Amino acid sequence: MSSLPFFHLIQDDLQRAETLLQEPAPDQHLAITGAVQHLLGSGGKRLRPALVFLSSHICQADLTLATFAAAGVEMLHTATLVHDDLIDGSLMRRGTETLNARWSPAATVLTGDYLFARAAYWVARTGNVRLVQRFAETLMVICNGEIRQMFDSRSDQGIRIPTFEEYEQRIYAKTASLIALSAEAGAILAHTDEATIDALRTYGESLGLAFQVVDDVLDFIADERTLGKPVGSDLRQGLITLPVLLFLEGNGDHPALRSILTSSFTNERLQEAVRVIGNSPAIERSLQIARDYVRKAKEALRGFPFSPYQTALMDLADFVVQRQF
Amino acid sequence: MSSLPFFHLIQDDLQRAETLLQEPAPDQHLAITGAVQHLLGSGGKRLRPALVFLSSHICQADLTLATFAAAGVEMLHTATLVHDDLIDGSLMRRGTETLNARWSPAATVLTGDYLFARAAYWVARTGNVRLVQRFAETLMVICNGEIRQMFDSRSDQGIRIPTFEEYEQRIYAKTASLIALSAEAGAILAHTDEATIDALRTYGESLGLAFQVVDDVLDFIADERTLGKPVGSDLRQGLITLPVLLFLEGNGDHPALRSILTSSFTNERLQEAVRVIGNSPAIERSLQIARDYVRKAKEALRGFPFSPYQTALMDLADFVVQRQF
């Protein structure tokens, strides 16, 4: 993302957030400091901090407070990934080992908890109660969504196929809710009127939905090296994403997919299903839906006066559907 | 605890907090609502909410805000127990099944995360930034302490014996930090002077240390039915608590204890070690240390004018070392 044309606008801001993220708390155990370095050092696009800073510039929020908020949302994101990877048994992310690949489940759970606390700490440092409240609500939405997915995605007959609305609700909880919070953070910090907060929130929510749809598409068409994790991970875990949903509309009886839906499949069957879906029109149809979200995101910005930061948010929305990683 | 003489003073307050704790968030999955009912329904002394209310009455804080804070600290306490029991593999607490005894590790991790978020939400509802910040810092202290315990308690030779200072640091992180936060919450909510906040915090910290020492003693001398979990749990997990520490001073070469410290022991050896320590002077010496903490806690209250609430805090301190459960 650092190669994007608007990146220089917030380069110094992102650097400040990075320094804050790496800063150990007083008395912090060295194992945690090492884990934070490992987790943050493995890359990541810093999409959420970028949104906090761009919206803070647009709304003229205090940049010191914005830095606290940026560190908070990125740390919350990192904490959720730590527990997610543990739960999914994922060993690789962004091309490097996950924490649970190195540590016991117990140490991984506790480190994730610590990172939640650290995230709450940074957000509280903004001194903005409304932002703290939105932060807590967002974490509730994220966890609630994962619990829903865990309890409702299987029936006695195997994997339950969600409706489009259920899929959208899931990716809202998983991804769009925190991206929406990041985008509205600048307006909340600047105490703008409600319409401005709403507009930036709508932008972030639509951007987040687009982002997750593209993620779900990449799981079928990217190569493992670019992706930093095995292709087809979602389907392997029985997660029905948009490409599968759309593919099933016309091909409900495809044998490779059938065997996956009844939860008894070989690795060969999985590879076949991934290949078949990746070469089907479901991919282009999914990307079309992502582009619709992006259009909605950009529409939400129309009320803002023209500025380099507004342009940057527009460009960022386009980037989300063009990215290959 | 509801049989204590001062209990009627805060009975209505505690009932309001209870109602709030049970209230499901909008859209909350039924599995979570069920888990919350199970976890809160299994009893618990509600020591932390009681402290929030007593300190709120003393400092004349707004009782609606106090109710949010009380729900927040109790929910945080519950969340930490959910992850603790998972990590320790404990199947019983307060005489009922733990969440991890019923659910998968994945569902247990996520439910704990949700409860952290819910706790942060209730604390944020106080609208008091300082309290939110102290809340986040306390969760960091708790997790950091557990990670320290996990990484530093064993060496190649087996279990490492902590110094008294290390033991005290551990029980501060585990128990006293949140009890201190509960006790100072009323003063923070009422925006009192710093001396008042400090006094209530010192009271809570000393009370919390006493509480945990008594807990550690009960693990040797209580019976399983009163305790609601197996006796000797700590030692079984290789946790060196104060009674063991003091016993070791004069009996470093006791064969039953030796075998436990080198991590190779039978259930018989464990029972023997529990019996020997439970009948040793280390128990009375531990209780003496707990009583010293209680004295310190009560001293911290000397500056407050006489009132039923001040008396209640004094009585609560005495209760902590007299309790059998």
Side-chain angles (χ1 to χ4, degrees):
Chain A
M1 227 172 84
S2 58
S3 64
L4 287 173
F6 64 80
F7 185 80
H8 69 276
L9 286 173
I10 51 169
Q11 197 162 3
D12 292 349
D13 299 323
L14 287 171
Q15 192 47 58
R16 277 200 320 280
E18 212 61 27
T19 306
L20 214 57
L21 282 164
Q22 297 275 359
E23 192 180 296
D27 219 31
Q28 182 173 295
H29 195 277
L30 281 177
I32 300 175
T33 309
V36 169
Q37 274 171 3
H38 174 73
L39 291 164
L40 294 173
S42 65
K45 291 176 270 296
R46 304 293 190 264
L47 170 65
R48 293 155 194 82
L51 287 169
V52 172
F53 286 121
L54 290 173
S55 75
S56 291
H57 279 291
I58 286 186
C59 301
Q60 295 173 299
D62 180 305
L63 287 179
T64 305
L65 301 187
T67 309
F68 290 140
V73 294
E74 187 66 13
M75 197 58 107
L76 178 62
H77 175 56
T78 307
T80 60
L81 295 185
V82 167
H83 282 183
D84 279 359
D85 287 339
L86 172 68
I87 286 169
D88 298 341
S90 308
L91 303 177
M92 295 290 279
R93 178 180 290 274
R94 299 171 189 157
T96 55
E97 274 185 321
T98 58
L99 212 56
N100 51 290
R102 301 175 154 205
W103 281 0
S104 69
T108 308
V109 169
L110 286 176
T111 305
D113 290 352
Y114 182 89
L115 300 184
F116 280 127
R118 191 70 171 148
Y121 172 80
W122 287 128
V123 174
R125 283 289 299 275
T126 64
N128 189 303
V129 168
R130 178 163 176 178
L131 193 67
V132 173
Q133 221 163 315
R134 293 286 304 112
F135 171 89
E137 284 167 358
T138 304
L139 182 54
M140 280 163 62
V141 166
I142 294 172
C143 298
N144 194 49
E146 293 200 62
I147 288 167
R148 186 180 300 280
Q149 161 69 17
M150 180 168 291
F151 281 95
D152 300 350
S153 64
R154 280 163 203 275
S155 71
D156 294 343
Q157 282 74 49
I159 294 168
R160 210 176 64 75
I161 311 296
T163 63
F164 177 77
E165 285 67 33
E166 286 169 339
Y167 168 75
E168 196 179 41
Q169 187 188 35
R170 183 172 67 70
I171 66 172
Y172 167 74
K174 176 182 178 175
T175 304
S177 61
L178 184 54
I179 292 185
L181 172 62
S182 306
E184 73 179 336
I188 293 176
L189 289 174
H191 302 283
T192 67
D193 57 294
E194 291 300 319
T196 303
I197 297 176
D198 279 355
L200 282 167
R201 183 168 176 81
T202 302
Y203 164 82
E205 189 176 317
S206 301
L207 184 82
L209 294 171
F211 186 88
Q212 188 56 50
V213 168
V214 172
D215 234 41
D216 292 346
V217 166
L218 287 173
D219 198 44
F220 285 95
I221 62 167
D223 65 275
E224 187 162 330
R225 205 158 45 87
T226 325
L227 211 56
K229 61 178 182 181
V231 178
S233 302
D234 293 334
L235 203 52
R236 190 187 303 271
Q237 283 165 30
L239 194 65
I240 303 300
T241 58
L242 189 56
V244 187
L245 212 58
L246 296 177
F247 179 81
L248 278 173
E249 279 182 7
N251 308 276
D253 49 1
H254 192 285
L257 205 53
R258 267 291 124 219
S259 70
I260 289 166
L261 295 178
T262 50
S263 299
S264 61
F265 60 90
T266 60
N267 197 40
E268 246 168 31
R269 280 285 198 190
L270 177 80
Q271 299 301 338
E272 189 194 342
V274 170
R275 198 172 50 244
V276 168
I277 295 171
N279 289 317
S280 79
I283 295 299
E284 179 47 33
R285 284 180 64 203
S286 298
L287 288 174
Q288 189 50 52
I289 289 174
R291 283 189 287 265
D292 289 345
Y293 286 133
V294 165
R295 190 166 33 74
K296 205 178 153 202
K298 290 163 90 173
E299 270 170 22
L301 298 178
R302 271 195 303 197
F304 290 93
F306 178 79
S307 78
Y309 300 106
Q310 193 236 26
T311 308
L313 286 181
M314 294 284 193
D315 292 349
L316 190 54
D318 288 327
F319 163 74
V320 157
V321 281
Q322 285 154 8
R323 72 199 175 95
Q324 304 292 314
F325 58 93
Chain B
M1 227 174 83
S2 57
S3 63
L4 288 172
F6 64 80
F7 185 80
H8 69 277
L9 285 174
I10 50 169
Q11 195 162 4
D12 293 349
D13 299 323
L14 287 171
Q15 192 47 58
R16 277 200 321 280
E18 212 61 28
T19 306
L20 213 56
L21 281 164
Q22 297 274 0
E23 193 180 294
D27 219 32
Q28 182 173 294
H29 195 276
L30 281 176
I32 300 175
T33 309
V36 169
Q37 274 171 4
H38 173 74
L39 290 164
L40 295 172
S42 66
K45 291 175 271 294
R46 303 292 189 267
L47 170 65
R48 293 154 195 84
L51 287 170
V52 172
F53 286 120
L54 290 173
S55 74
S56 292
H57 278 291
I58 286 186
C59 301
Q60 295 174 298
D62 180 303
L63 286 179
T64 305
L65 302 187
T67 309
F68 289 141
V73 294
E74 187 66 12
M75 198 57 106
L76 178 63
H77 175 56
T78 307
T80 60
L81 295 185
V82 166
H83 281 183
D84 279 0
D85 287 340
L86 173 67
I87 286 168
D88 298 342
S90 308
L91 303 177
M92 296 291 279
R93 177 180 289 275
R94 298 169 189 158
T96 55
E97 273 185 320
T98 58
L99 211 55
N100 50 292
R102 301 175 153 206
W103 281 0
S104 68
T108 308
V109 169
L110 285 176
T111 305
D113 289 351
Y114 182 89
L115 300 184
F116 279 127
R118 191 71 170 148
Y121 172 80
W122 287 128
V123 174
R125 283 290 298 276
T126 63
N128 189 304
V129 168
R130 178 164 177 177
L131 193 67
V132 173
Q133 222 163 314
R134 293 286 305 113
F135 171 88
E137 284 166 358
T138 304
L139 182 53
M140 280 164 61
V141 167
I142 293 171
C143 298
N144 194 49
E146 293 201 60
I147 288 168
R148 187 181 300 280
Q149 162 69 18
M150 181 168 291
F151 281 96
D152 300 349
S153 65
R154 279 163 204 274
S155 70
D156 294 342
Q157 281 76 48
I159 295 169
R160 210 175 65 74
I161 311 296
T163 63
F164 177 77
E165 284 68 31
E166 287 169 338
Y167 168 76
E168 196 180 42
Q169 187 188 35
R170 182 172 69 69
I171 67 172
Y172 168 73
K174 177 182 177 172
T175 304
S177 60
L178 184 55
I179 292 184
L181 173 63
S182 306
E184 74 180 335
I188 292 176
L189 288 174
H191 302 281
T192 67
D193 57 293
E194 291 301 319
T196 304
I197 298 177
D198 279 355
L200 282 166
R201 183 170 175 80
T202 302
Y203 164 82
E205 189 175 316
S206 301
L207 183 82
L209 294 171
F211 186 88
Q212 189 56 51
V213 168
V214 173
D215 234 41
D216 292 345
V217 166
L218 287 173
D219 197 44
F220 285 94
I221 62 168
D223 65 274
E224 186 162 329
R225 205 159 45 86
T226 325
L227 209 56
K229 61 178 182 181
V231 178
S233 302
D234 292 334
L235 204 52
R236 189 185 303 272
Q237 284 164 29
L239 194 65
I240 303 300
T241 58
L242 189 56
V244 187
L245 212 58
L246 296 177
F247 179 81
L248 278 173
E249 279 181 8
N251 308 276
D253 50 1
H254 191 285
L257 204 53
R258 266 291 126 218
S259 69
I260 289 167
L261 295 179
T262 50
S263 299
S264 61
F265 59 91
T266 60
N267 196 39
E268 245 167 31
R269 281 283 197 191
L270 177 79
Q271 299 300 337
E272 189 194 342
V274 170
R275 198 173 49 247
V276 168
I277 294 171
N279 289 317
S280 78
I283 295 299
E284 179 47 32
R285 285 180 62 204
S286 299
L287 288 174
Q288 190 50 51
I289 289 174
R291 283 189 288 267
D292 288 345
Y293 286 133
V294 165
R295 190 166 32 74
K296 205 178 154 205
K298 290 163 89 173
E299 269 169 24
L301 297 178
R302 271 194 303 195
F304 291 91
F306 178 79
S307 78
Y309 300 106
Q310 194 237 25
T311 308
L313 286 181
M314 295 282 194
D315 291 349
L316 190 54
D318 287 327
F319 162 74
V320 157
V321 282
Q322 284 154 10
R323 72 200 174 94
Q324 303 292 314
F325 58 93

